[in-house]
């Protein structure tokens, strides 16, 4: 039998050599593009290109994650997405429709930037070249049957030529000298439609018992299987909590569902209380780090499994986690009955903890024995990245204070134009008590706090408050206004929020602006200055954070302020993405 198979292989090889003498393969020409080429500059809706080495550079800007704005560098976007590395390579680019909310991230050594919207997008993927192999087929007359015997048809050399390809193939033989026809199982890269970094908080308390702890492990294993984990899709880690939390494995420990399920099965129960609040604090501070496999571009998701109710408070720890961009889900099993509710330390703990209280982030399961029924509903929710609204971006992670010149030179009509400019900027941000917050100060010789950061927690309330600001009129003491805003607004900013000051003025200040501006910068305030008409350029640059060219703007007329709305927001997002991710 072996001699027959070997003979077939030698004939295949000979046929391939003879055919290649007569026929040359057509080569597909793939044009090389430069690192700075943007997708929008190429008119084709779909094209293959070759990127040169050395495109991983901050000067080749990228906007978005997975789906990119068309004025991004094509090759640097391919590096960011992991299709190629800095040595270059061939890529496939597909144009798609414009997009809202391009999310910035740090991935594969490239920091992409956020962008509120753009008119055109593109996707980038690897190119695939199809190869035929000279694998013997049971259906082919020249090849062995599936049982290892010759087929019933007589062997002809011309049949061999028609069934064997021209691509050389190397065979490996087993110790029994049999031809191994078993196909190589491809390694899954994960579900690309569910690219999330996911941590499960596993209840290891004594109240759960050994039987229900085993049911919990089965549930987590089924979730791992349903997610389709992999490097291009969801990654999953587990933290078990009792009295204290500890990491069972992090995001980069396992990159396929099979290994995950095996690891979950080996987890032993910790015991202790159900200290969920302590576990959430632990995850917020320790789990989602680069060292643990956090990818930056993927939303951070925590799913809390809890038997009954927690034995500590969760509200404060959950708030801090949400403000760090973590999307919190709760799966409560066998929740407190009416007669048990007096034992619950923190009533309505689920609503106080989850990302949003609209029901999307919480699942209540009446019994541990029906937990398996919520595998698919939970997977569907955590993979719905468009609804993971607690993910931290440049649009939902700042305290923005507007410092508005209300001096006599502005005038009533122009003041309304300034307020419209303030409103147009504000409405682009995601506003709530845990997302971006807005405050405003108006100044002349004196200063007035129009509203503080904690005054309004919805976008509509903020826009209405801006509209109600009344024109003051008076002199122009910009330096004093900066000091006032630092004391009355930014001193009350949350510690994990970026402090952004946007100052709008139409003239030279009667007092010094340099000393108060420098003090604000030292206290972590990122200052943008917007000058109109008679505003002094040297003062605008002194007020602005360095580099001042990216933080100061000037227009000759109030009616032209609208031109800088998108540019200012884009610069804010660029600033955000240039900082280390929390």
């Amino acid at each position: 039998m072996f001699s027959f198979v070997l003979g077939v292989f030698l004939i295949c090889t000979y046929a391939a050599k003879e055919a290649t003498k007569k026929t040359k393969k057509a080569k597909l020409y793939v044009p090389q593009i430069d690192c700075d080429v943007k997708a929008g500059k190429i008119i084709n809706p779909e094209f293959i290109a070759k990127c040169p080495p050395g495109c991983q550079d901050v000067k080749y800007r990228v906007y978005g994650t997975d789906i990119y704005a068309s004025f991004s560098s094509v090759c640097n976007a391919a590096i960011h997405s992991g299709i190629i590395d800095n040595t270059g390579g061939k890529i496939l680019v597909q144009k798609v429709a414009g997009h809202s909310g391009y999310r910035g991230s740090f991935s594969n050594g490239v920091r992409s930037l956020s962008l509120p919207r753009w008119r055109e997008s593109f996707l980038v993927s690897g190119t695939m070249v199809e190869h035929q192999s000279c694998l013997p087929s049971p259906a082919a007359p020249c090849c062995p049957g599936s049982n290892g015997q010759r087929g019933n048809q007589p062997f002809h050399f011309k049949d061999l030529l028609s069934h064997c390809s021209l691509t050389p193939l190397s065979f490996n033989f087993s110790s029994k000298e049999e031809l191994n026809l078993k196909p190589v199982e491809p390694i899954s890269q994960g579900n690309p439609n569910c690219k999330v970094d996911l941590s499960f908080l596993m209840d290891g308390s004594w109240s759960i018992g050994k039987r229900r702890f085993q049911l919990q492990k089965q549930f987590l294993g089924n979730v791992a299987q349903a997610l389709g984990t992999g490097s291009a899709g969801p990654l999953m880690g587990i933290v078990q909590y009792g009295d204290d939390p500890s990491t069972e494995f992090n995001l980069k420990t396992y990159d396929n569902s099979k290994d995950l399920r095996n690891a979950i099965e080996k987890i032993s129960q910790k015991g202790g209380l159900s200290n969920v609040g302590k576990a959430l604090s632990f995850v917020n501070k320790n789990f989602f780090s680069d060292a643990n496999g956090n990818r930056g571009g993927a939303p951070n998701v925590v799913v809390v499994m809890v038997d009954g109710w927690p034995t500590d408070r969760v509200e404060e720890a959950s708030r801090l986690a949400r403000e760090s961009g973590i999307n919190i889900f709760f799966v409560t099993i066998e929740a407190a009955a009416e007669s048990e509710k007096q034992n619950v330390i923190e009533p309505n703990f689920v609503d106080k903890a989850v990302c949003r209280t609209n029901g999307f982030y919480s699942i209540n399961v009446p019994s541990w024995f029906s937990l398996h029924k919520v595998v698919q509903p939970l997977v569907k929710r955590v993979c719905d990245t468009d609804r993971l609204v607690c993910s931290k971006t440049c649009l939902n992670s700042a305290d923005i204070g507007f410092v508005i010149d209300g001096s006599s030179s502005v005038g009533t009509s122009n003041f309304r134009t300034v307020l419209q400019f303030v409103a147009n900027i504000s409405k682009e941000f995601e506003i709530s008590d845990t997302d971006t917050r807005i405050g405003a100060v108006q100044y002349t010789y004196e200063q007035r706090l129009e509203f503080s950061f904690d005054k309004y927690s919805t976008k509509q309330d903020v826009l209405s408050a801006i509209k109600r600001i009344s024109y003051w009129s008076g002199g122009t003491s910009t330096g004093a206004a900066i000091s006032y805003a630092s004391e009355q607004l930014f001193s009350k900013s949350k510690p994990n929020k970026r402090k952004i000051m946007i100052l709008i003025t139409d003239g030279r200040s009667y007092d010094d602006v340099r000393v108060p501006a420098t003090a604000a910068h030292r206290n972590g305030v990122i200052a943008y200055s917007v000058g109109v008409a008679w505003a002094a350029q040297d003062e605008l640059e002194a007020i602005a954070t360095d580099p001042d060219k990216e933080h100061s703007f000037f227009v000759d007329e109030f009616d032209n302020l609208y031109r800088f709305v998108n540019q200012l927001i884009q610069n804010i997002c660029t600033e955000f993405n240039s900082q280390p991710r929390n």
Side-chain angles (χ1 to χ4, degrees), residues 412-523:
T412 303
S413 177
N414 288 333
F415 188 76
R416 304 316 302 176
T417 302
V418 171
L419 293 184
Q420 186 59 55
F421 174 71
V422 171
N424 288 342
I425 293 171
S426 299
K427 68 184 181 183
E428 294 294 334
F429 289 85
E430 299 168 25
I431 296 172
S432 77
D433 57 342
T434 58
D435 294 316
T436 289
R437 303 186 303 170
I438 305 292
V441 167
Q442 185 182 175
Y443 74 94
T444 58
Y445 281 129
E446 300 178 283
Q447 308 83 36
R448 183 168 72 197
L449 180 64
E450 299 293 352
F451 54 90
S452 59
F453 291 135
D454 59 1
K455 180 71 172 178
Y456 303 109
S457 59
T458 70
K459 184 176 295 187
Q460 189 54 54
D461 286 346
V462 167
L463 296 178
S464 297
I466 293 169
K467 190 175 182 179
R468 291 195 302 269
I469 295 175
S470 59
Y471 177 46
W472 205 355
S473 187
T476 310
S477 294
T478 305
I482 295 171
S483 296
Y484 181 85
S486 296
E487 296 169 4
Q488 298 299 317
L489 275 179
F490 295 109
S491 66
K492 299 175 176 61
S493 185
K494 293 184 177 181
N496 57 354
K497 297 287 186 183
R498 289 181 309 137
K499 297 182 282 189
I500 297 175
M501 178 175 71
I502 302 175
L503 185 143
I504 307 113
T505 183
D506 80 327
R508 183 173 288 278
S509 177
Y510 294 162
D511 61 356
D512 175 65
V513 301
R514 288 169 177 77
V515 172
T518 300
H521 300 162
R522 287 174 178 168
N523 287 325

Side-chain angles (χ1 to χ4, degrees), residues 30-339:
V30 178
Q32 179 165 304
I33 59 176
D34 294 330
C35 296
D36 60 352
V37 169
K38 299 175 174 62
K41 296 295 184 182
I42 300 175
I43 60 174
N44 304 55
E46 182 174 307
F47 59 91
I48 296 174
K50 184 177 181 181
C51 292
C55 291
Q56 186 177 324
D57 194 304
V58 292
K59 66 183 177 182
Y60 306 126
R61 294 202 169 180
V62 178
Y63 297 84
T65 299
D66 298 329
I67 182 168
Y68 301 97
S70 64
F71 69 103
S72 303
S73 160
V74 171
C75 292
N76 213 11
I79 296 173
H80 179 270
S81 63
I83 302 303
I84 60 174
D85 57 24
N86 200 35
T87 60
K90 296 176 184 177
I91 58 172
L92 172 65
V93 177
Q94 297 168 295
K95 300 281 193 70
V96 293
H99 190 60
S100 296
Y102 294 92
R103 189 176 72 254
S105 64
F106 185 80
S107 180
N108 300 307
V110 177
R111 185 170 293 283
S112 70
L113 309 176
S114 298
L115 191 70
R117 61 180 58 83
W118 192 247
R119 61 178 176 270
E120 185 184 47
S121 309
F122 70 95
L123 304 171
V124 61
S125 58
T127 61
M128 293 183 65
V129 181
E130 293 184 0
H131 295 279
Q132 290 182 314
S133 300
C134 186
L135 280 173
S137 168
C142 67
C143 298
S146 59
N147 61 359
Q149 303 297 319
R150 272 192 71 175
N152 296 325
Q153 298 295 328
F155 172 79
H156 296 290
F157 185 78
K158 64 180 182 180
D159 293 328
L160 180 65
L161 292 178
S162 66
H163 288 282
C164 294
S165 78
L166 305 179
T167 304
L169 181 71
S170 60
F171 290 91
N172 292 315
F173 294 93
S174 69
S175 58
K176 295 182 179 180
E177 296 185 324
E178 294 177 343
L179 185 63
N180 181 13
L181 300 179
K182 184 178 180 181
V184 178
E185 185 177 343
I187 299 173
S188 173
Q189 299 300 305
N191 178 8
N193 297 317
C194 181
K195 191 175 181 181
V196 295
D197 288 346
L198 178 62
S199 172
F200 273 85
L201 295 192
M202 185 182 191
D203 190 341
S205 63
W206 290 130
S207 67
I208 194 174
K210 293 187 180 297
R211 171 64 175 144
R212 290 181 291 182
F213 187 77
Q214 187 62 33
L215 291 173
Q216 183 179 205
K217 291 201 296 183
Q218 292 174 8
F219 171 76
L220 292 175
N222 292 337
V223 168
Q225 185 66 39
L227 280 169
T229 54
S231 58
L235 294 179
M236 176 175 163
I238 289 182
V239 171
Q240 186 183 172
Y241 69 90
D243 290 335
D244 297 294
S246 61
T247 300
E248 296 293 342
F249 48 83
N250 61 36
L251 295 168
K252 67 179 183 181
T253 309
Y254 304 106
D255 61 359
N256 65 81
S257 298
K258 181 180 178 181
D259 291 345
L260 259 175
R261 296 189 73 172
N262 291 337
I264 290 168
E265 184 57 37
K266 295 175 183 177
I267 295 175
S268 57
Q269 188 174 2
K270 286 174 63 70
L273 300 173
S274 298
N275 288 334
V276 175
K278 187 179 286 189
L280 283 167
S281 294
F282 174 85
V283 168
N284 186 28
K285 294 174 183 177
N286 302 290
F287 189 85
F288 294 108
S289 66
D290 292 345
N292 287 336
N294 185 56
R295 291 173 288 184
N300 293 160
V301 178
V302 168
V303 179
V304 182
M305 307 285 296
V306 60
D307 174 50
W309 57 88
T311 52
D312 65 348
R313 295 186 176 275
V314 304
E315 184 173 15
E316 181 65 12
S318 301
R319 182 184 64 79
L320 292 173
R322 292 195 307 271
E323 290 177 0
S324 295
I326 297 174
N327 297 272
I328 301 175
F329 288 78
F330 259 65
V331 177
T332 53
I333 306 97
E334 299 180 5
E338 283 298 324
S339 59

